[in-house]
Amino acid sequence: MPEWLKDAAFYEIYPQSYNDTNGDGIGDFDGITEKLDYIKSVGFNALWINPCYDSPFMDAGYDVRDYKKAAPRYGTNNDLFRLFGEAHKRGIKVFLDLVPGHTSDKHKWFLESKKQERNEYSDRYIWADHAFFMKGHPYIAGMSERDGIYMLNFFASQPALNYGFAHPNEPWQMSYDSEAAIATREAMKDVMRFWMDRGCDGFRVDMADSLVKDDDPDKKYTGLLWQNVREMFDKEYPECALVSEWSNPEQSILNGFHMDFTLDNPQTGYRSLFRDYRDVLSKSGGSGINSDSVDLAQDKSYFRSEADSDITKFLDWYLPQYNKTKDKGYISIISGNHDTPRLRRTLSYDELKIAYAFMYTMPGVPFMYYGDEIGMRYLDIPTKEGGYGRTGTRTPMQFNHEANYGFSDAKAEDLYLPQDPSLDAPTVEEQEADKNSLLNTIRAELTLRHKYDDLKADAPFTVLHAEKNDPLFVYKRGNLTCAVNPSKRETSFEGVSGSKVLFSLGETELSGNKITLKPQSFMVIG
Ligand code: NOJ
């Protein structure tokens, strides 16, 4: 397990929307390189860049046409290698996004696979020989010279790569350990080696649980595949790491992932922290800002002060997962990602400060989505590149109040996506100047995390107080005690050890072994 993960704080960058240095209205590698000092200054020491490979962009780059070639709109492979180098000079690691479950239907493997005549790639994808096997999975028929239908992994443009079936029961289904399935796995390892040999520090893995089809409920066969990949990491790239889009740490981490995300889906307790509302994404096709499609009265999220909620829904999911995986890998709590509505959609700056204080004092490796450090809004705008309701979360970064918020010199109408039109749109520049801003609060939270070993990914975590209908959550990290009260009422707790308040937000008090947390507050005691 790489040591550096213990103190890692990741920053996710959607490259389209980060920083445009050549005035074409879309972000690029040089733009990211240019902002490394800023990124470092906030306290982030690792990046995850969304897919930046050659692609027709039917799914924002998750439809890869060439795994080994940078998308020209972001720059060249050499520009990306320079980004790796400049990041490393500043002590920042760089993860790319690996999309192993599917390619674009324009990938050369697939163009070959579609041919009637057998070739090296005929079995690289999942093909059924007849048009009547559409059981349980979406298939596409009638689009190839080859007589057959192919399985999809996501959108129509994303045919499923063939890692076999857990229990093949049709003649055209191959086994998870068939020659063709192993060849696909090895091809993906070759892609990983290509980038890691050139300075990449690891990968965020897209739909990591989706590879072997009709897998057992415990994902045994997909798990075996990742165990094999982990062997490669341990042997050849011991300083590199993998984080999975899986959200089942027990399955992902125990099968080889170094980290697994908490994702915004109904199966995880994560949703109860920030987005416990009925999610009615824009149906208008985009009419402006701040879609009011959330019924705030029904929002039960723990970090929404009015909700007066408690942490137990989250812990019911988190604790068993944490206890089963804590010696093997890390759970990664995220502020959000390119698929989720931004937190600012429903949370105020004060609520966000407390939410992030929690995120940066919990075990595991935290991930923040670009723009969340200044509280960028979720915008109600028309879809782009297969984004649909996710598009409003992907708008260009807001650095300052110059043209296009400092994102690009292009004309506003030529930008990748429109930006927040409101007069109080948050920017980095403005928040740098305000010592109580969200940005400067996150800086302080990250400084604290980097300073104390007890706040690192692997330091022990125990719950001191978490009860139903009680907003107060008190937990120990090593010898430190953290307490969070996101609600509008005053709370208190007796039985803490430690004599000094090391960090606080809002009004808090420590007297003897008793802590008092006024509305919307947070404290760390040591
Ligand atoms: C998950 C990614 O996060 C999402 O953006 C993408 O559309 C799908 N996987 C398909 O690759």
Side-chain angles (χ1 to χ4, degrees):
M1 176 69 87
E3 268 293 301
W4 64 267
L5 286 178
K6 290 185 183 169
D7 191 34
F10 271 84
Y11 188 57
E12 177 191 347
I13 291 184
Y14 186 73
Q16 288 90 320
S17 289
Y18 200 61
N19 186 24
D20 169 24
T21 54
N22 63 358
D24 62 356
I26 194 156
D28 43 52
F29 296 130
D30 285 354
I32 300 174
T33 305
E34 193 177 272
K35 294 293 178 186
L36 289 172
D37 287 331
Y38 160 69
I39 292 166
K40 178 81 190 168
S41 82
V42 185
F44 302 115
N45 53 20
L47 303 179
W48 151 32
I49 304 175
N50 288 105
C52 53
Y53 318 105
D54 182 44
S55 165
F57 293 102
M58 298 294 287
D59 184 16
Y62 282 94
D63 47 327
V64 179
R65 183 163 51 199
D66 185 343
Y67 286 104
K68 295 185 181 175
K69 184 179 172 217
R73 70 189 200 178
Y74 304 134
T76 62
N77 280 15
N78 280 335
D79 296 332
L80 182 54
F81 302 152
R82 196 171 76 86
L83 164 55
F84 294 155
E86 290 297 319
H88 292 161
K89 274 191 212 159
R90 291 162 176 82
I92 300 174
K93 305 280 184 181
V94 185
F95 274 26
L96 296 180
D97 207 316
L98 184 80
V99 190
H102 48 267
T103 65
S104 157
D105 57 358
K106 303 290 183 293
H107 192 292
K108 69 173 188 296
W109 296 344
F110 190 65
L111 299 180
E112 288 299 310
S113 201
K114 281 173 93 175
K115 292 182 177 160
Q116 179 62 16
E117 198 175 314
R118 276 195 66 80
N119 61 60
E120 191 187 340
Y121 301 103
S122 297
D123 297 334
R124 179 58 49 94
Y125 296 82
I126 299 179
W127 287 88
D129 292 334
H130 325 274
F132 305 107
F133 282 100
M134 300 177 201
K135 281 185 285 189
H137 296 282
Y139 285 86
I140 291 275
M143 294 294 283
S144 61
E145 171 199 350
R146 175 171 174 170
D147 179 8
I149 60 175
Y150 56 90
M151 189 194 283
L152 298 179
N153 216 37
F154 201 67
F155 287 161
S157 59
Q158 293 160 315
L161 283 160
N162 180 21
Y163 295 91
F165 284 73
H167 307 286
N169 54 20
E170 302 286 351
W172 50 269
Q173 296 183 343
M174 291 170 208
S175 160
Y176 74 96
D177 59 358
S178 61
E179 212 177 295
I182 303 285
T184 310
R185 182 192 76 198
E186 292 304 309
M188 215 41 71
K189 282 159 72 179
D190 174 58
V191 168
M192 291 189 241
R193 286 192 179 102
F194 176 84
W195 292 108
M196 290 192 287
D197 287 344
R198 288 160 181 81
C200 162
D201 299 292
F203 299 91
R204 173 268 188 186
V205 180
D206 188 68
M207 296 172 68
D209 63 336
S210 74
L211 304 191
V212 177
K213 301 305 180 203
D214 297 345
D215 207 345
D216 295 353
D218 65 358
K219 300 273 171 168
K220 176 174 167 190
Y221 297 95
T222 300
L224 287 173
L225 187 155
W226 289 115
Q227 286 178 31
N228 175 281
V229 173
R230 176 61 181 265
E231 274 171 34
M232 172 181 90
F233 272 67
D234 287 349
K235 225 191 273 160
E236 299 170 39
Y237 304 95
E239 282 304 301
C240 294
L242 290 167
V243 56
S244 45
E245 187 195 29
W246 194 317
S247 223
N248 190 326
E250 190 185 349
Q251 292 177 356
S252 55
I253 292 175
L254 298 186
N255 279 308
F257 278 93
H258 303 80
M259 299 168 270
D260 186 22
F261 290 128
T262 55
L263 292 176
D264 188 45
N265 66 42
Q267 291 84 46
T268 72
Y270 170 76
R271 176 165 285 188
S272 71
L273 296 175
F274 308 125
R275 300 179 188 83
D276 204 352
Y277 48 69
R278 265 193 60 219
D279 193 16
V280 201
L281 290 173
S282 167
K283 294 204 173 59
S284 67
S287 55
I289 67 156
N290 272 351
S291 119
D292 53 4
S293 48
V294 178
D295 180 0
L296 289 179
Q298 299 297 321
D299 183 355
K300 293 279 168 278
S301 307
Y302 178 59
F303 284 101
R304 193 168 147 72
S305 54
E306 300 279 355
D308 201 54
S309 222
D310 64 65
I311 193 78
T312 60
K313 253 201 216 168
F314 172 70
L315 290 179
D316 286 350
W317 175 81
Y318 181 84
L319 276 178
Q321 294 277 355
Y322 171 76
N323 286 325
K324 281 182 202 152
T325 57
K326 62 177 185 238
D327 301 324
K328 299 269 175 4
Y330 304 122
I331 297 177
S332 285
I333 300 180
I334 62 172
S335 69
N337 64 26
H338 59 289
D339 294 331
T340 58
R342 284 196 185 267
L343 289 188
R344 181 70 195 287
R345 183 191 197 190
T346 50
L347 299 182
S348 69
Y349 283 130
D350 283 342
E351 288 165 335
L352 287 173
K353 288 176 187 173
I354 294 172
Y356 295 157
F358 158 85
M359 191 170 115
Y360 286 131
T361 52
M362 284 292 282
V365 177
F367 278 67
M368 182 163 283
Y369 184 54
Y370 84 95
D372 283 353
E373 77 272 29
I374 54 169
M376 272 174 59
R377 291 189 168 91
Y378 172 76
L379 303 187
D380 186 7
I381 49 177
T383 185
K384 173 102 174 183
E385 297 185 347
Y388 304 102
R390 308 174 293 182
T391 312
T393 280
R394 301 174 173 187
T395 60
M397 181 66 185
Q398 296 160 197
F399 291 105
N400 54 44
H401 276 285
E402 286 160 33
N404 307 318
Y405 297 103
F407 162 69
S408 166
D409 293 335
K411 285 196 240 130
E413 59 271 27
D414 293 340
L415 298 188
Y416 174 72
L417 283 174
Q419 293 179 293
D420 187 346
S422 43
L423 286 176
D424 65 347
T427 66
V428 171
E429 189 181 42
E430 198 173 66
Q431 295 200 14
E432 291 278 9
D434 170 4
K435 75 176 191 335
N436 293 318
S437 65
L438 182 61
L439 179 63
N440 279 323
T441 304
I442 292 172
R443 269 206 177 102
E445 291 168 356
L446 278 168
T447 304
L448 187 81
R449 185 176 176 97
H450 294 313
K451 180 165 167 195
Y452 290 99
D453 282 348
D454 280 346
L455 294 178
K456 300 283 185 303
D458 63 329
F461 166 73
T462 43
V463 173
L464 286 184
H465 176 88
E467 275 170 21
K468 277 219 170 315
N469 305 317
D470 182 347
L472 181 66
F473 175 38
V474 189
Y475 47 107
K476 283 209 88 147
R477 296 298 320 279
N479 290 315
L480 305 183
T481 303
C482 306
V484 52
N485 173 22
S487 78
K488 295 259 167 168
R489 35 170 168 146
E490 180 173 313
T491 56
S492 63
F493 174 77
E494 276 178 59
V496 298
S497 50
S499 55
K500 238 174 110 186
V501 178
L502 303 175
F503 180 84
S504 66
L505 296 171
E507 276 182 68
T508 60
E509 247 174 61
L510 167 68
S511 107
N513 72 353
K514 181 175 177 194
I515 49 173
T516 305
L517 286 99
K518 301 265 158 114
Q520 294 191 268
S521 61
F522 173 88
M523 71 198 297
V524 178
I525 303 148

